[in-house]
Amino acid sequence: MSAQHAAGGPSGTPLERAAAVPERFNMARYCLAPGELRPADATALVVVHDLATAAADAESWTFAALDDAVRAVAAGLLAAGLAPGDRVLIRLPNTSSYPLIFFGALAAGVVAIPTSSQLTAEEFAFLVADAAPQLVVCDPSLGVPLPAGLPVVGPAEIDDWCGQPDRAPYADTAPDDPAYLVYTSGTSDRPKGVVHAHRAAWGRRPMYAAWLGLQPGDVVLHTGAFNWTYTLGVGLTDPWANGASAVIYNGPKDLGVWPALIERYRATHFAAVPGLYPQLLRHGGLTGADLSSLRHGLVAGEALSPALWRQWREATGTELFEALGMSECSTFISSGPSIPTRPGSPGKPQPGRRVAVLPHQGLGTEPLPAGEVGLLAVHRSDPGLMLGYWQRPQEEAAAYRGEWFVTSDLVHFDADGYVHYHGRADDVMTAMGYRVSPLEVEECLARHPGVGEAAVAEVEVREGLRIITAFVVPRDPDDRDTVDASVLLAYAADHLAGYKRPREVVFVDALPRTANGKILRRELAGRHTRLSGPASG
């Protein structure tokens, strides 16, 4: 069975789905307009500021109230002089003003550019110069120098717009009209903008059943901040499109917050990065909480280890469903209620997706057979795929091979159509002349009972000599007999070929991660301190 055949079916092809997108389609209207799926008085959004006082001062928005506020913000943007197709760059703290301005821009046909409030002045200045927005929405407390003459509004103006009588109708946008622009993390180069069309929301439909298992009336608790596309998508867009409620917490963080919120709001879905789940398990954050409402947890952003999947099931009696995606097409491979989890795999291509594995070397467009490792690719007809890279025509052209958008993710399909992830092409290590996926080594180490988390990276120990080094967070830092370096190196020797084994173990308190939860393997290598000698053999 070829990868291409394993990834799709005779019905529901990307071209058929693309044709099914309504001729006029506005992403905000699709998510928020009250109707049979979204009763006007049903709860759409809850924002909890402090768990101790949640019952008294949490914000609760019905679909009618949210629809009204978003169209008021749309009217305010248009009154401020913006026109459909203009760009508004958002720099706000993690408050309800964020989704109001994001979806308000979409409602007005204006292109929203969400950014993190944690960006430095230098990083933010680059985005302003690159995106060339017609308006910046910025909280004064997060203010940074801006070019002279660039209009700026803040939360006070958003509040004022909501208090005015004007309400804009949802813009009569086409599916391919630009809706929002997000910037990739840019770990090896300057960030680049990814432009998505309004149809991106329609392109998320295959994940509703295949990954999320969403139903009207469900409650999704997302741990991320509003600016993150994982939150804007899984935390807001998907619940609202399905008539479900979204719960976001923006108060003081401690591990006990999340199970308490699940209990208080009867959350059916809990969405987080994989790195949060072992912390909850390791520090007893689940003890005593009533999790009976929870159907399953959702993970994305980093590979889910089989050990963590098993530990979560044992502790909660619920599943963790993983998804693999990217900024350019969100998530399109997953496990879920209709795709049973296979430990070590993020799942299968969602029904109707056309996904392939293409040769790593060269420019071949013929999908590889099951079992062969290559680059993950998505057919360009997928309605969830980006419009393109913002002002990067050469990089955009380089990302395509014929009809395929080609990622940097190394994967293979097994005989049953499950995808197995081998890391990013630029993360793959070279040892003794062999290419080694860090994911394979990390998954092995994570199975050891003394390991809480593990990451591996190539480290240059002297000029011309690089070794695979494991960075380990112990499950119990006081139990050094269980996680002694020699014990872990011996364990790796029992389970990995010689060229794949780490030659050194470094114990750390935590793994460095991006704001989105992805492990920064290069930072690990860069900050490396030799705490134990290389192993022999």
Side-chain angles (χ1 to χ4, degrees):
M1 177 165 49
S2 73
Q4 186 174 345
H5 182 265
S11 63
T13 66
L15 291 175
E16 290 171 340
R17 289 198 320 280
V21 181
E23 292 184 3
R24 311 306 296 176
F25 184 79
N26 182 277
M27 179 174 167
R29 180 177 57 224
Y30 172 70
C31 294
L32 294 172
E36 183 178 351
L37 186 63
R38 290 176 290 274
D41 60 351
T43 300
L45 174 65
V46 177
V47 183
V48 183
H49 307 298
D50 189 328
L51 186 61
T53 58
D57 64 3
E59 296 178 52
S60 183
W61 297 75
T62 64
F63 278 107
L66 202 56
D67 165 78
D68 182 75
V70 162
R71 291 190 297 110
V73 171
L77 289 170
L78 296 173
L82 272 71
D86 284 347
R87 295 171 299 285
V88 56
L89 194 149
I90 308 168
R91 179 181 172 88
L92 292 173
N94 192 33
T95 69
S96 55
S97 293
Y98 215 114
L100 293 185
I101 191 67
F102 179 82
F103 284 92
L106 301 182
V110 171
V111 179
I113 308 173
T115 70
S116 170
S117 61
Q118 300 180 48
L119 295 179
T120 65
E122 179 182 348
E123 292 169 325
F124 188 69
F126 168 78
L127 298 190
V128 172
D130 190 70
Q134 282 73 34
L135 177 71
V136 171
V137 179
C138 184
D139 190 291
S141 66
L142 304 174
V144 292
L146 293 169
L150 180 60
V152 181
V153 300
E157 285 81 4
I158 295 174
D159 290 343
D160 182 62
W161 291 339
C162 290
Q164 298 297 317
D166 295 334
R167 300 292 182 268
Y170 287 106
D172 187 31
T173 47
D176 281 336
D177 286 345
Y180 60 96
L181 190 163
V182 295
Y183 278 85
T184 60
S185 56
T187 54
S188 61
D189 194 4
R190 56 180 183 157
K192 60 176 176 279
V194 179
V195 184
H196 278 285
H198 282 267
R199 60 172 161 76
W202 189 270
R204 301 179 67 86
R205 292 164 71 91
M207 73 177 71
Y208 294 166
W211 179 33
L212 306 175
L214 272 175
Q215 302 169 11
D218 280 344
V219 178
V220 178
L221 170 62
H222 202 294
T223 63
F226 280 118
N227 66 270
W228 189 15
T229 52
Y230 184 15
T231 310
L232 291 170
V234 173
L236 301 180
T237 298
D238 297 335
W240 294 343
N242 285 275
S245 302
V247 177
I248 303 292
Y249 179 72
N250 64 0
K253 297 290 197 301
D254 67 69
L255 291 174
V257 161
W258 305 117
L261 287 169
I262 292 172
E263 178 177 339
R264 174 166 293 178
Y265 292 99
R266 308 303 296 159
T268 56
H269 298 63
F270 179 61
V273 295
L276 180 61
Y277 289 93
Q279 295 179 51
L280 286 169
L281 293 167
R282 191 163 58 243
H283 297 289
L286 303 174
T287 303
D290 178 4
L291 306 181
S292 59
S293 63
L294 188 66
R295 291 210 301 274
H296 48 258
L298 304 167
V299 295
E302 190 76 17
L304 172 65
S305 75
L308 174 56
W309 173 73
R310 286 191 291 269
Q311 291 160 12
W312 179 264
R313 291 185 72 193
E314 292 169 1
T316 69
T318 65
E319 293 282 349
L320 281 182
F321 292 137
E322 182 181 0
L324 175 64
M326 55 190 174
S327 299
E328 292 86 348
C329 196
S330 190
T331 57
F332 52 95
I333 289 168
S334 60
S335 58
S338 61
I339 303 175
T341 296
R342 176 165 293 184
S345 167
K348 295 183 179 183
Q350 294 156 359
R353 305 281 193 190
R354 189 174 175 190
V355 179
V357 178
L358 299 185
H360 182 202
Q361 305 297 330
L363 299 175
T365 58
E366 186 64 27
L368 296 174
E372 291 195 26
V373 176
L375 295 173
L376 184 64
V378 181
H379 199 270
R380 68 162 70 232
S381 61
D382 194 306
L385 190 62
M386 67 173 184
L387 285 171
Y389 292 126
W390 174 252
Q391 296 185 331
R392 303 283 185 90
Q394 292 181 327
E395 292 181 56
E396 183 177 328
Y400 286 90
R401 293 189 199 173
E403 294 302 302
W404 297 102
F405 173 82
V406 185
T407 77
S408 297
D409 293 320
L410 289 168
V411 304
H412 80 270
F413 281 100
D414 66 21
D416 297 320
Y418 280 84
V419 172
H420 295 264
Y421 184 55
H422 296 268
R424 293 182 62 82
D426 52 6
D427 274 344
V428 170
M429 306 174 293
T430 302
M432 301 171 64
Y434 295 92
R435 295 173 62 82
V436 180
S437 164
L439 274 296
E440 182 179 1
V441 183
E442 291 164 2
E443 190 277 328
C444 170
L445 293 172
R447 294 198 301 265
H448 190 279
V451 173
E453 295 181 89
V456 298
E458 270 190 291
V459 170
E460 187 170 28
V461 294
R462 63 174 182 269
E463 187 174 356
L465 177 61
R466 302 178 67 84
I467 63 171
I468 296 178
T469 301
F471 298 83
V472 173
V473 179
R475 182 175 299 279
D476 181 357
D478 297 325
D479 185 7
R480 297 307 293 264
D481 292 335
T482 303
V483 290
D484 178 81
S486 62
V487 171
L488 291 181
L489 292 171
Y491 181 82
D494 288 338
H495 295 86
L496 294 169
Y499 67 89
K500 297 180 183 179
R501 300 171 195 164
R503 300 294 161 174
E504 182 177 0
V505 174
V506 177
F507 293 106
V508 295
D509 294 329
L511 300 177
R513 297 178 181 273
T514 67
N516 296 346
K518 295 183 179 180
I519 295 173
L520 292 167
R521 295 184 179 85
R522 293 177 188 174
E523 184 175 322
L524 277 173
R527 68 162 70 163
H528 169 256
T529 301
R530 294 185 58 76
L531 299 180
S532 63
S536 60

